[in-house]
Amino acid sequence: SNKTTALHPLSMANPKSHLFALLLLHFSTVSLAQTLFVFGDGLYDAGNKQFVSSNRVDASFPPYGITLGEATGRWSDGRIVPDYLASFMGISQIPPILRATADFSHGANFAIADATVLGAPPESMTLSQQVIKFSENKNKWTAKARSEAIYLFYIASDDYLNYAKNNPNPSDDQKQAFVGRVIAAIEAELKVLYGSGGRKFAFQNLAPLGCLPAVKQANGNVQECVRLPSEMAELHNKKLLQLLVELSRQLSGFQYSFYDFFSSIQNRVIKSKTYTFETGMAACCGTGSVNGTSCSPSNVCAKPEDYLFFDGKHLTQEGNLQVGHLIWGSDPEVVGPNNLRELLFLPLDITATLANIQEAMAATMPRQIKIESLYDIKKMESEMENQWLYQVDKATSFLI
């Protein structure tokens, strides 16, 4: 399902060809984002952990970075998802915010290993602390850059892994209440970023956490994914999508992209060879039945590209590359209502753009066509909303 054909941001609405042509005429009003802000945990950490930890940070030493030839503080054998997305955007890799000497002209990476939404993780930063760090540094970028930027997120895995470990048999009400707290905290931080000018938000939803090698190995049954962590992730993903739909209605100009990472990982664990991996069960590096813990130079595989997971919780460079392509250019069954490339092209004020199109049509078309075309624009706006609401209903059954 990894389509790489260029899709227009409004193609989901199936506009008439003359509307499509007029939208292209108005591309001059669109600015491509040259700025990327990254928030999250170890999957997105580009090296922040090493600046706050008093202990050894494994990602700063081999075999991490083995495919690149050096360890960079990334929890992979090579590049991570934000690296690929920056490359697709045509900008340099986004540096960790805690590297004081870095060039932040195209954004900053605030993600850090062991980050959570709730609580106070040791030697890490909560999402709130990451957003505070952004607020402290926001004057590094112009208001225009902040408004056109992409704000990218992957966070809350450790919230649910810790919850499942400490609450092995929660009731449905308890599960819903905890997810509700996480989502409410995310909502508050999104509104802070929106207040600082952020308009374009991209989310990689949570993996089926019970399928991570470290989680399966700790549970003792490596053949099956552990139910509770995956169930919590699924509840979170559904509520997160509902939140983004709601915010797009509440907040003028709020635009988003939502990638179904959950299904991508599930499919690659079950049908690894279909996706070019020899295995989606065991990690490349580590010890134990599925190499779920203690990644070190003495227990790393020869060909990381054959594995989905590099260590017990993080993907290989090849896994990250596939995810990057899906976020960037896949179709609405994988990422919606816009993929990242489409989000990049979306005008900051799409209502104004449609009004401009309407005005241009009124000036250039015969009366009968004008009336039909005005109807088409209203219909297009309605179809755009209806199409994505349909996707929301299908959110837990995407096929990727």
Side-chain angles (χ1 to χ4, degrees):
S1 299
N2 179 10
K3 289 190 179 178
T4 53
T5 309
L7 296 173
H8 188 272
L10 303 182
S11 61
M12 288 176 64
N14 299 317
K16 305 288 187 187
S17 57
H18 57 271
L19 279 173
F20 185 75
L22 280 163
L23 279 170
L24 292 179
L25 286 175
H26 282 74
F27 253 54
S28 60
T29 66
V30 179
S31 297
L32 285 184
Q34 290 292 294
T35 311
L36 177 64
F37 297 117
V38 181
F39 301 86
D41 60 21
L43 256 67
Y44 281 4
D45 186 353
N48 279 315
K49 184 71 169 180
Q50 59 196 332
F51 294 105
V52 302
S53 181
S54 56
N55 300 308
R56 171 192 162 98
V57 175
D58 289 343
S60 298
F61 299 91
Y64 290 91
I66 191 171
T67 299
L68 295 179
E70 64 172 339
T72 63
R74 289 165 171 78
W75 299 82
S76 179
D77 60 296
R79 293 181 177 85
I80 54 175
V81 170
D83 296 332
Y84 287 114
L85 296 179
S87 173
F88 299 157
M89 289 170 66
I91 58 178
S92 54
Q93 289 184 359
I94 305 302
I97 188 64
L98 299 181
R99 183 182 293 143
T101 58
D103 175 5
F104 295 110
S105 55
H106 292 291
N109 185 320
F110 300 87
I112 183 168
D114 305 313
T116 57
V117 175
L118 305 176
E123 298 186 331
S124 186
M125 291 190 287
T126 61
L127 177 59
S128 175
Q129 289 169 327
Q130 292 178 34
V131 171
I132 289 169
K133 185 67 70 175
F134 168 83
S135 298
E136 290 170 352
N137 287 274
K138 68 180 182 182
N139 290 334
K140 285 182 167 67
W141 305 279
T142 65
K144 183 174 186 289
R146 295 198 306 270
S147 68
E148 293 175 351
I150 299 292
Y151 295 74
L152 176 69
F153 298 81
Y154 182 85
I155 195 161
S157 289
D158 280 347
D159 292 271
Y160 296 114
L161 290 174
N162 294 337
Y163 180 85
K165 185 185 291 185
N166 297 325
N167 302 273
N169 295 294
S171 67
D172 286 346
D173 285 348
Q174 288 170 325
K175 286 183 280 193
Q176 293 281 358
F178 185 76
V179 173
R181 285 176 57 206
V182 173
I183 295 296
I186 290 173
E187 177 179 7
E189 301 311 325
L190 292 181
K191 287 180 174 176
V192 171
L193 293 171
Y194 178 89
S196 294
R199 292 298 180 269
K200 298 186 175 189
F201 298 85
F203 274 84
Q204 176 177 332
N205 79 6
L206 295 185
L209 301 174
C211 297
L212 302 179
V215 177
K216 289 197 293 186
Q217 189 167 303
N219 194 56
N221 179 3
V222 297
Q223 296 307 312
E224 293 182 12
C225 296
V226 184
R227 185 188 61 80
L228 180 58
S230 291
E231 186 182 354
M232 297 296 289
E234 200 163 12
L235 282 172
H236 170 90
N237 293 342
K238 186 174 181 180
K239 285 184 178 291
L240 176 60
L241 181 51
Q242 289 169 348
L243 169 66
L244 295 176
V245 172
E246 186 59 35
L247 289 177
S248 70
R249 291 171 173 168
Q250 280 180 18
L251 305 177
S252 175
F254 183 98
Q255 300 165 356
Y256 66 96
S257 176
F258 182 86
Y259 159 57
D260 188 12
F261 184 52
F262 187 100
S263 295
S264 293
I265 292 300
Q266 200 164 52
N267 288 343
R268 283 160 178 76
V269 167
I270 296 167
K271 300 175 288 188
S272 54
K273 286 186 168 60
T274 302
Y275 298 94
T276 75
F277 299 107
E278 287 301 313
T279 178
M281 298 281 286
C284 161
C285 185
T287 59
S289 50
V290 285
N291 303 330
T293 58
S294 307
C295 174
S296 74
S298 62
N299 54 38
V300 64
C301 68
K303 296 179 67 179
E305 65 270 22
D306 286 347
Y307 291 76
L308 173 61
F309 295 102
F310 182 65
D311 64 13
K313 288 186 177 180
H314 306 102
L315 302 187
T316 56
Q317 175 174 279
E318 178 60 29
N320 287 323
L321 174 61
Q322 290 189 18
V323 167
H325 275 299
L326 290 169
I327 292 173
W328 177 251
S330 199
D331 63 32
E333 292 215 335
V334 180
V335 55
N338 315 283
N339 60 40
L340 198 67
R341 179 169 51 193
E342 293 166 346
L343 189 65
L344 215 60
F345 275 96
L346 272 183
L348 287 174
D349 186 350
I350 199 163
T351 307
T353 301
L354 287 170
N356 290 340
I357 293 169
Q358 185 171 316
E359 186 178 334
M361 291 167 65
T364 59
M365 294 182 180
R367 189 171 191 282
Q368 183 179 358
I369 299 176
K370 275 193 276 187
I371 293 169
E372 291 172 1
S373 300
L374 293 178
Y375 169 75
D376 281 343
I377 283 183
K378 294 187 188 306
K379 184 180 175 189
M380 182 168 75
E381 289 177 287
S382 174
E383 282 179 353
M384 286 167 65
E385 181 166 331
N386 290 339
Q387 176 96 11
W388 184 235
L389 286 176
Y390 172 64
Q391 293 293 346
V392 173
D393 290 339
K394 293 202 315 175
T396 57
S397 61
F398 287 144
L399 299 174
I400 303 175

